[in-house]
Amino acid sequence: PTNPELFALDVHSGPGHTTAELLHRLDESSRVVALGRDPWLMQVAKTRVRPEWKRRVYFKSGDIDDVTGMNDATYDLTFANLVLGEQVVEWQPALAELSRVTKPGGQVVVTWSQGLLLQASDLNGPWTTNTTASSPYTNTPSQGMQFFRALVP
């Protein structure tokens, strides 16, 4: 996204690679919340932040479970890099929460390392293979409620 003044959430920010990339790519009026649960990795992530980015990023201790306490429609961009299906086993409710905290017209971006992306309009299915999906996959919440899961061979 190239819109000015975006508010982004980086879930399970880890050592800060994605956070730094977001800060680099988004304009100088955009802000990023880096949500991480490991204090050591959070310190590593802070070293990746250039001095001119420091006022645009907030490092918050927490993980995907803390997203449930966030307000609806808060973020323009929600990013989960290698989180769902890898760090978070019960990723279906996690993805629903990421969509909930993303503003209408915003974007939820998820990446995964292997397998197929399945999609349904109902949590109970029927599930179909999203043949156009590749990692990273971006979904706009205004497309209607969608549920996703990764099928790993």
Side-chain angles (χ1 to χ4, degrees):
T2 56
N3 300 356
E5 298 184 19
L6 285 178
F7 192 26
L9 174 65
D10 181 12
V11 178
H12 285 244
S13 58
H17 295 289
T18 302
T19 301
E21 190 63 28
L22 287 169
L23 289 164
H24 173 74
R25 290 177 182 249
L26 298 175
D27 81 318
E28 63 185 37
S29 64
S30 296
R31 297 167 292 135
V32 176
V33 173
L35 187 64
R37 61 180 169 196
D38 185 320
W40 184 81
L41 287 177
M42 196 171 291
Q43 288 304 316
V44 172
K46 289 178 181 179
T47 67
R48 297 185 191 287
V49 176
R50 295 180 185 169
E52 64 269 24
W53 296 344
K54 289 186 186 274
R55 64 177 177 74
R56 298 177 40 217
V57 63
Y58 174 68
F59 290 93
K60 179 174 174 48
S61 179
D63 60 22
I64 192 74
D65 293 331
D66 294 299
V67 174
T68 60
M70 296 179 178
N71 292 330
D72 293 354
T74 300
Y75 300 97
D76 300 292
L77 175 64
T78 306
F79 211 95
N81 185 27
L82 300 175
V83 174
L84 306 181
E86 295 182 27
Q87 296 181 43
V88 177
V89 177
E90 295 294 325
W91 56 267
Q92 292 97 331
L95 187 54
E97 282 300 303
L98 295 178
S99 295
R100 182 187 61 78
V101 300
T102 303
K103 293 177 183 176
Q107 293 182 330
V108 177
V109 179
V110 296
T111 65
W112 63 96
S113 61
Q114 60 180 342
L116 299 171
L117 186 67
L118 302 180
Q119 182 173 346
S121 59
D122 184 87
L123 185 58
N124 296 315
W127 295 93
T128 58
T129 302
N130 186 327
T131 57
T132 62
S134 62
S135 181
Y137 181 72
T138 302
N139 181 55
T140 303
S142 62
Q143 294 170 334
M145 181 63 77
Q146 291 291 307
F147 298 91
F148 299 90
R149 66 183 183 190
L151 177 64
V152 179

